[in-house]
Amino acid sequence: MKIQDIGNRTENTWCPGCGNFAILNSIKTVLKNLQEESTPLENVVLVSGIGCHGKIVDYLNVNSFYSIHGRATPVAEGIKLANQNLKVIGFAGDGDAYGEGIEHLIFAAKRNVDITMIIHNNRVYGLTTGQSSPTSPLGYKGRSTPKGSIEIPLNPLEVMLSSGATFLARGYSRNIELLKNIFKEAINHKGFALIDILQVCFTYYNMYEYYNKKVYELKEHNVEDYSEALKKIREWNYYNEKPIALGVFYKQKSVTFGDRIAGNRTKTQDTNSFIEQSLTKTI
Ligand code: SF4
Ligand code: MG
């Protein structure tokens, strides 16, 4: 299938300037490359949650399942566990995945289910006109917090690292080349992968100028070192003024939930024992 055939003619209703376009274009290229290399598109299933991001599955000619708010992760888990031959890619928003759906992410990471979760983290509820979300910064002024949010934002990558995720990365909707590289690596990773994307909501929380000044790409970072990953993940806590690292923070081989179910436990180092060792070292 040509790249233009991976997309379709459904009218796109995202606002001009929305960061979702970068994610859509990047995933199209990656799906095309995967198809050419080893994964036919009929072996790919996309899952979306509810929010502006969810429309992404409408714009792609790929098998997909539109789930409900906060539930993209368990639906993706179920599809993968029912058929281990499928590549399952979930899309979710920050309000969706880090709010109502956070417990599902924690358990998918803990189990190391072999799925990829792509989080469109615009740090607001965009579809419902800009209310504060779990990653909105302290002081964020929106429809639900007209005097400024009084909550400290969640650092989702830190939560995911401590939960046992075996692939963690951050992308930015203005850096398409990096997005493509991260998507490909995450989808090919055997285990639970999560990509937190700073996806700018142009209409309700336009952070392009701010992010452009702050982001940098990780270089000479040891992705297998838990302590190093934790340090880099904590560097920017979603509201301080520190530089914002982009790229892969953590990548670890480990037994997947599917392997365990199939009774095919390999000799690969176990996630839990690895985390115990890493935490001991950190302490
Ligand atoms: Fe994109 Fe924000 Fe518009 Fe939604 S409201 S389509 S996230 S710019
Ligand atoms: Mg959002």
Side-chain angles (χ1 to χ4, degrees):
M1 194 184 274
K2 293 181 194 155
I3 192 155
Q4 56 267 39
D5 299 325
I6 293 177
N8 59 37
R9 293 186 181 181
T10 304
E11 183 192 356
N12 192 309
T13 56
W14 287 329
C15 311
C18 177
N20 283 329
F21 287 100
I23 299 173
L24 174 64
N25 288 327
S26 302
I27 200 72
K28 273 187 201 169
T29 307
V30 170
L31 290 174
K32 180 178 173 289
N33 292 346
L34 280 174
Q35 175 193 240
E36 286 162 0
E37 286 165 11
S38 57
T39 310
L41 277 186
E42 58 265 32
N43 286 2
V44 176
V45 181
L46 310 178
V47 180
S48 78
I50 297 294
C52 294
H53 80 275
K55 299 174 189 173
I56 198 166
V57 300
D58 293 337
Y59 307 143
L60 293 162
N61 282 328
V62 182
N63 296 311
S64 61
F65 190 104
Y66 227 123
S67 71
I68 54 174
H69 199 251
R71 306 293 183 257
T73 309
V75 170
E77 286 182 89
I79 293 170
K80 179 68 187 185
L81 295 176
N83 185 346
Q84 293 287 329
N85 295 322
L86 298 174
K87 287 273 186 205
V88 185
I89 305 167
F91 297 89
D94 49 316
D96 188 17
Y98 300 150
E100 194 173 359
I102 189 70
E103 79 282 16
H104 293 301
L105 275 184
I106 289 171
F107 278 86
K110 170 184 172 290
R111 295 170 183 138
N112 196 28
V113 182
D114 184 17
I115 57 174
T116 302
M117 292 302 298
I118 295 175
I119 314 299
H120 302 226
N121 184 3
N122 52 23
R123 307 172 68 201
V124 290
Y125 285 86
L127 190 68
T128 51
T129 69
Q131 294 81 358
S132 68
S133 87
T135 51
S136 298
L138 192 65
Y140 169 77
K141 288 186 180 168
R143 294 263 171 130
S144 57
T145 52
K147 293 185 178 172
S149 169
I150 54 169
E151 290 186 38
I152 302 286
L154 188 75
N155 183 333
L157 290 170
E158 188 172 345
V159 175
M160 288 293 93
L161 185 69
S162 61
S163 302
T166 52
F167 184 102
L168 289 170
R170 182 186 291 128
Y172 172 36
S173 54
R174 267 277 166 89
N175 189 336
I176 291 188
E177 280 316 302
L178 183 65
L179 274 187
K180 286 192 241 176
N181 292 340
I182 295 176
F183 284 172
K184 192 168 176 194
E185 199 174 340
I187 293 166
N188 284 329
H189 172 73
K190 193 165 186 282
F192 180 80
L194 181 135
I195 307 146
D196 180 65
I197 302 174
L198 300 175
Q199 171 259 316
V200 173
C201 172
F202 193 68
T203 304
Y204 295 107
Y205 195 36
N206 185 351
M207 295 288 281
Y208 281 125
E209 210 175 309
Y210 182 83
Y211 289 150
N212 287 345
K213 286 186 202 143
K214 293 280 180 189
V215 294
Y216 74 98
E217 283 187 42
L218 284 169
K219 299 259 192 279
E220 295 175 11
H221 167 69
N222 182 0
V223 295
E224 293 180 3
D225 186 321
Y226 186 98
S227 303
E228 188 66 18
L230 184 61
K231 198 171 149 196
K232 277 290 163 196
I233 284 171
R234 281 181 169 167
E235 185 176 72
W236 179 60
N237 63 8
Y238 290 74
Y239 74 98
N240 66 21
E241 291 300 320
K242 295 278 179 64
I244 303 171
L246 302 177
V248 179
F249 290 96
Y250 188 62
K251 188 173 178 181
Q252 181 67 36
K253 281 186 191 160
S254 188
V255 183
T256 67
F257 198 57
D259 288 337
R260 290 180 200 272
I261 285 178
N264 288 336
R265 185 168 177 163
T266 64
K267 289 181 181 169
T268 314
Q269 193 175 23
D270 181 82
T271 309
N272 291 334
S273 63
F274 181 78
I275 289 173
E276 274 167 26
Q277 286 170 23
S278 306
L279 285 177
T280 309
K281 274 187 220 158
T282 310
I283 294 161

